[in-house]
Amino acid sequence: MTRPGYERLMEELKRLKQEERPAVIRAIEEARGYGDLSENAEYHAAKERQSFIETRVAELEDRTRRAEVIDVARRTTDGYLRGVVRFDGMEEFRNSALVINFQNEWILALRDEQPVAMSPDLICVLDSDSGEAVGSETIRYGQRVTVIALPAPEIYLSPRGLQHVGPRAFGYDFDFKSVFA
């Protein structure tokens, strides 16, 4: 699903919850004031509309929970391909947002704005269907991926190694913390 498609679904969901749902509740309350509900056409019409709204809200909530929204921003500066990939988690990571920053290679993975993997540990992005590695230059909208981390070689974990490939080497203001620590 594209970001505009996702945003349209979210706008409809917001409208249904904030405008149409309260309006139909008021219509039901008003129709109850007309007396006998068994022969009250206004009441039955409002209840039917309420059923439609609640069904549609459930459908939209399900679709947006399973929606895969990917935003890829790339730019070339100083000979490096730099950028950010954003997507929503799926399956067991549903309702979780993942952001991966890259500079030619995958540098930093943040889940819900918290670092979960970073260089020099290796962040690997794999196509969930084929299992093939996906690079920062080829990742695309709508692609389903699996992100895994592998431990860094010992040489990169030394103070000198971290100076060259740790998060601070890429401009991040925090120290390296291995996902394997």
Side-chain angles (χ1 to χ4, degrees):
M1 176 180 302
T2 64
R3 179 171 295 280
Y6 176 79
E7 288 171 355
R8 279 192 303 276
L9 292 180
M10 292 306 291
E11 286 171 14
E12 181 181 357
L13 186 58
K14 182 180 177 182
R15 180 181 48 78
L16 287 169
K17 286 180 161 183
Q18 293 180 357
E19 296 171 22
E20 293 195 33
R21 183 185 272 166
V24 79
I25 289 170
R26 286 190 302 273
I28 290 169
E29 289 301 314
E30 183 179 322
R32 281 189 176 144
Y34 298 150
D36 184 10
L37 298 182
S38 65
E39 296 180 18
N40 187 328
E42 290 87 356
Y43 175 79
H44 291 288
K47 287 298 280 182
E48 202 171 293
R49 179 71 182 149
Q50 182 184 40
S51 176
F52 170 80
I53 291 169
E54 294 307 321
T55 299
R56 184 66 179 152
V57 164
E59 288 172 359
L60 290 172
E61 285 178 338
D62 185 55
R63 284 187 68 193
T64 56
R65 272 195 300 270
R66 287 189 283 143
E68 180 175 279
V69 180
I70 295 177
D71 184 26
V72 180
R74 295 182 184 92
R75 67 187 182 290
T76 303
T77 56
D78 300 324
Y80 295 103
L81 180 62
R82 294 183 168 119
V84 177
V85 177
R86 292 180 180 86
F87 52 96
D88 286 341
M90 299 179 72
E91 297 168 11
E92 70 267 26
F93 296 106
R94 181 176 285 173
N95 299 325
S96 216
L98 183 69
V99 174
I100 304 175
N101 295 345
F102 60 88
Q103 180 175 309
N104 289 354
E105 304 298 328
W106 306 111
I107 303 298
L108 174 66
L110 301 128
R111 185 172 57 222
D112 299 326
E113 301 179 14
Q114 298 300 311
V116 291
M118 64 189 74
S119 179
D121 282 346
L122 302 174
I123 300 169
C124 304
V125 179
L126 307 172
D127 184 283
S128 293
D129 295 325
S130 70
E132 296 288 323
V134 179
S136 59
E137 71 285 351
T138 59
I139 196 161
R140 65 187 189 285
Y141 296 101
Q143 189 170 23
R144 291 176 183 234
V145 298
T146 301
V147 179
I148 64 170
L150 300 173
E154 284 296 318
I155 193 165
Y156 294 134
L157 301 177
S158 70
R160 187 164 183 218
L162 288 173
Q163 197 174 40
H164 293 283
V165 294
R168 292 187 188 279
F170 297 99
Y172 299 101
D173 192 26
F174 50 82
D175 294 322
F176 170 69
K177 182 178 178 193
S178 177
V179 70
F180 302 97

